[in-house]
């Protein structure tokens, strides 16, 4: 994963109106060839566009194995979305793998379109859970189709951006260019237009976007480029191009996450009594390592994983105390928990395209890779956190200099202002995409509600938490509805022993 990116009660903010039917498609190719938008869901089996038209949907077999609860041809349909690689030249077609989960025979006309993170992640990591609460359950609760797709360059989409084992970056890029693949076509704005083409090809009037991690950046790009096509937006583990440069998966993001951990612990009587000075203990641990000339990386990485994969429970204060008191048994126990959580990352990276990740990151963030931006992001940040987790501008730009020039717009580097109803799920302990980024993005949205998930880290719905699932489902059914009462009871659990 690129170093530049790492995924309480709420009330709706005033202002803004629900988006109306889509009328804008200036950046999509051959939109007229698909016909007018259908007024019912389940359009994929009937309204796929004329043969040879672009965009079009071509039904095909579903990835195996199929999750329990799903039956191909019944509540599951798959295929390929055919789009132009370059919507200006329109001289090459690419195929994006699409999976549609149906929760009812008569779905609402606006499906949920899930936007994966990474960038570079593949829906291969989701196939086994689509039959559970995350996929089929969400489709059934909301009465809508639930759609996942492999973004261009990833997973089962063709072509796949991938380098061979041991292949040098320059040689890899030369080989792909010789195969007719222009990496300049693989960026977030192009993917945002793919989402619009998905809507057109399947005949939906509007979409409900659900982005996770990098997928929140993609959702924001869709909001900017195709605002009329969006009925509502769910942003989980929010990232942002203008606000996130050098602030995700980095020293700053960990320090901010730990600050929230320590604040929540101080406000919890049991935690405060058991761990009265976690900040001082951590400083002491790091100083002792420095005095002994011992690499602090294992400690910092442990803290990073404990915050990245938190699920309402924080072992951070206990881990720090164990490290400060040389409690080997507790350290070993928490290390086992970290290993179990790290297994989720292996699962999430199934089919991951590292080259696509770096390509998109370069095109999104490359113009912002300056020393001034780096220094601004790291002002007041622990030098130890910075040295272990952060990547300097020169290193960040190394691969970017090998890529062909991209046509990414200047607007893509600016904040997104939108009136679309938006729900933000924010893990207070997220050290990948810290809560501070969500706060910055929310300030630009006029109809937004923010749900803080105390003690949670990155990618909340992937843990299939019932309260989070109910919150999202209720919002999609009625974007102006209040959050479920379970939200009021959310609180971090701080174990004081194992």
């Amino acid at each position: 994963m690129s170093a530049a990116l790492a995924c309480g009660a709420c009330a709706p903010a005033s202002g803004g109106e629900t988006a109306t039917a889509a009328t804008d498609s200036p950046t999509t190719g051959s939109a007229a060839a698909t016909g007018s938008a259908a007024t019912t869901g389940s359009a994929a089996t009937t309204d796929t566009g004329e043969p040879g038209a672009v965009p079009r949907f071509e039904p095909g077999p579903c990835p195996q194995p199929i999750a329990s609860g799903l039956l191909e041809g019944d509540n599951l349909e798959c295929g390929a979305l055919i789009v132009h690689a370059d919507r200006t030249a329109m001289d090459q077609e690419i195929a994006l793998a699409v999976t549609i989960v149906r929760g009812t025979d008569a779905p609402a006309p606006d499906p949920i379109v899930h936007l994966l993170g990474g960038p570079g992640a593949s829906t291969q990591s989701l196939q086994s859970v689509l039959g559970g609460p995350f996929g089929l359950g969400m489709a059934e609760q909301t009465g809508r189709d639930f759609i996942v797709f492999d973004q261009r360059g990833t997973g089962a989409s063709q072509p796949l951006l991938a380098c061979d084992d041991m292949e040098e970056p320059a040689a890899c890029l030369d080989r792909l260019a010789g195969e007719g693949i222009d990496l300049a076509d693989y960026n977030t704005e192009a993917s945002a237009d793919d989402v619009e083409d998905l809507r057109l090809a399947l005949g939906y009037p509007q979409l409900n976007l659900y982005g996770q991690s990098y997928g929140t950046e993609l959702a924001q790009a869709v909001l900017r480029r195709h605002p009329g096509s969006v009925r509502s937006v769910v942003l989980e583990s929010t990232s942002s191009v203008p606000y996130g440069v050098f602030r995700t998966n980095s020293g700053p993001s960990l320090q901010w996450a730990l600050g929230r951990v320590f604040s929540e612990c101080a406000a919890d009587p049991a935690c405060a009594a058991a761990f009265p000075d976690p900040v001082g203990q951590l400083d002491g641990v790091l100083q002792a390592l420095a005095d002994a000339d011992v690499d602090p990386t294992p400690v910092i990485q442990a803290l990073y994983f404990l915050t990245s994969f938190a699920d309402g429970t924080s072992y951070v204060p206990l881990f720090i105390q164990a490290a400060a008191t040389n409690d080997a048994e507790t350290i070993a126990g928490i290390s086992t928990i970290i290993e179990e959580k790290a297994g989720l990352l292996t699962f999430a990276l199934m089919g991951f395209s590292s080259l696509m990740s770096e390509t998109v990151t370069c095109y999104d963030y490359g113009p912002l890779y300056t020393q001034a931006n780096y220094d601004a992001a790291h002002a007041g940040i622990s030098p130890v956190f910075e040295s272990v987790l952060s990547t300097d501008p020169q290193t960040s730009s190394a691969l970017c200099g090998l890529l062909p020039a991209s046509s990414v717009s200047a607007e893509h580097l600016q904040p997104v202002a939108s009136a679309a109803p938006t729900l933000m799920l924010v893990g207070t302990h997220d050290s990948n995409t810290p809560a501070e980024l969500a706060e910055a993005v929310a300030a630009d949205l006029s109809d937004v509600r923010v749900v803080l998930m105390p003690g949670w880290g990155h990618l909340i719905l992937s843990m299939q938490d019932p309260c989070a699932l109910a919150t999202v489902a209720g919002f999609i059914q009625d974007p102006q509805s209040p959050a479920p009462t379970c939200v009021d009871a959310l609180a971090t659990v701080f174990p004081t022993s194992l």
Side-chain angles (χ1 to χ4, degrees), residues 93-394:
E93 295 180 2
I94 59 177
L96 311 184
V98 177
T99 299
I100 305 171
V101 176
R102 307 197 188 283
T104 174
D105 292 334
D110 45 284
I112 302 167
V113 177
H114 179 259
L115 306 177
L116 274 168
S122 166
T123 59
Q124 294 176 38
S125 64
L126 295 177
Q127 295 298 328
S128 65
V129 299
L130 285 180
F134 179 76
L136 180 59
M138 187 67 67
E140 291 175 339
Q141 286 187 62
T142 63
R144 287 168 167 81
D145 293 343
F146 186 89
I147 302 174
V148 298
F149 73 100
D150 278 336
Q151 296 159 25
R152 55 173 59 202
T154 70
S157 293
Q158 295 296 323
L160 171 66
L161 295 194
C163 296
D164 297 332
D165 291 342
M166 308 303 291
E167 189 174 24
E168 291 295 327
C172 174
L173 300 186
D174 287 343
R175 175 178 57 78
L176 292 174
E179 295 172 2
I181 297 174
D182 186 352
L183 293 182
D185 296 333
Y186 294 81
N187 57 67
T188 297
E189 289 188 317
S191 289
D193 293 344
D194 291 340
V195 174
E196 172 69 354
D197 277 356
L198 178 71
R199 182 191 70 80
L200 292 169
L202 297 181
Y204 296 111
Q206 285 189 304
L207 307 174
N208 299 283
L209 303 178
Y210 165 37
Q212 289 182 297
S213 195
Y214 161 74
T216 65
E217 289 187 16
L218 178 53
Q220 291 168 68
V222 177
L223 277 175
R224 174 187 286 115
R225 297 173 72 81
H226 307 284
S229 298
V230 180
R231 174 182 174 268
S232 71
V233 187
V234 177
L235 303 178
E236 179 198 336
S237 302
T238 300
S239 187
S240 164
V241 173
Y243 298 125
V245 63
F246 298 122
R247 292 176 172 87
T248 55
N249 292 341
S250 63
S253 63
L254 176 60
Q255 183 161 315
W256 293 337
L258 289 177
R260 290 177 179 266
V261 172
F262 299 148
S263 294
E264 290 178 25
C265 179
D268 180 279
C271 186
F275 312 109
D277 187 20
V279 175
Q281 284 190 317
L282 178 57
D283 288 343
V285 169
L286 296 179
Q287 186 60 55
L289 293 174
D291 292 343
D293 197 25
V294 175
D295 184 3
T297 296
V299 172
I300 302 304
Q301 288 183 336
L303 292 170
Y304 178 77
F305 273 102
L306 286 173
T307 47
S308 296
F309 298 103
D311 53 3
T313 300
S314 176
Y315 293 93
V316 168
L318 180 61
F319 172 78
I320 292 173
Q321 184 184 73
T325 59
N326 294 315
D327 182 349
E329 183 177 354
T330 297
I331 291 174
I334 294 178
S335 296
T336 299
I337 294 171
I338 292 173
E339 290 173 1
E340 293 173 351
K341 299 295 185 181
L344 297 174
L345 179 60
T346 301
F347 172 75
L349 294 181
M350 289 175 59
F352 188 84
S353 169
S354 296
L355 179 58
M356 181 62 179
S357 177
E358 296 295 344
T359 299
V360 171
T361 301
C362 281
Y363 287 140
D364 277 5
Y365 286 86
L368 302 176
Y369 285 159
T370 66
Q371 190 64 49
N373 283 339
Y374 182 88
D375 292 342
H378 288 80
I381 300 302
S382 163
V384 179
F385 293 171
E386 177 182 353
S387 66
V388 174
L389 295 176
S390 296
T391 306
D392 61 63
Q394 293 73 33

Side-chain angles (χ1 to χ4, degrees), residues 61-67 72 76 78 97-99 123-124 127 156:
C62 289
Q64 301 294 324
I66 293 175
E72 190 169 358
L76 181 68
C78 305
V98 177
T99 299
T123 59
Q124 294 176 38
Q127 295 298 328

